[in-house]
Amino acid sequence: MARQSISFTEPNDKWLNEQVDNQEYSSKSEVVNDLIRQARNQQIEIDWIKAKLEKAEKSGFTNDSKEQILAQAKSLNE
């Protein structure tokens, strides 16, 4: 595992410490890694939405229902 040295603002450091103190996480590193994982997953969803929008703009209209579109979006999280 790569080691990094990073600095936090006081409010962010306080929040990180609270997460560890509340036993949500065992260390600040664990909190930061979880936040990065969440951001990466969020970026995957954003990229998927962008791709769907670009495809829709180029193709015109879709025959998919809003329920089908929602189901497709939710399947990304599985």
Side-chain angles (χ1 to χ4, degrees), residues 30-63:
E30 190 178 332
V31 180
V32 172
N33 276 312
D34 190 40
L35 291 171
I36 291 170
R37 271 190 297 277
Q38 290 176 39
R40 290 172 62 196
N41 288 335
Q42 198 173 44
Q43 189 61 52
I44 290 169
E45 291 178 19
I46 290 168
D47 292 344
W48 181 84
I49 291 168
K50 282 182 181 178
K52 289 295 263 185
L53 287 172
E54 288 172 3
K55 182 179 176 186
E57 287 175 349
K58 291 176 184 172
S59 68
F61 294 95
T62 181
N63 292 326

Side-chain angles (χ1 to χ4, degrees), residues 9-22:
T9 62
E10 188 174 328
N12 288 344
D13 189 50
K14 181 180 176 186
W15 183 83
L16 286 167
N17 284 324
E18 288 171 359
Q19 303 312 299
V20 175
D21 291 345
N22 292 335

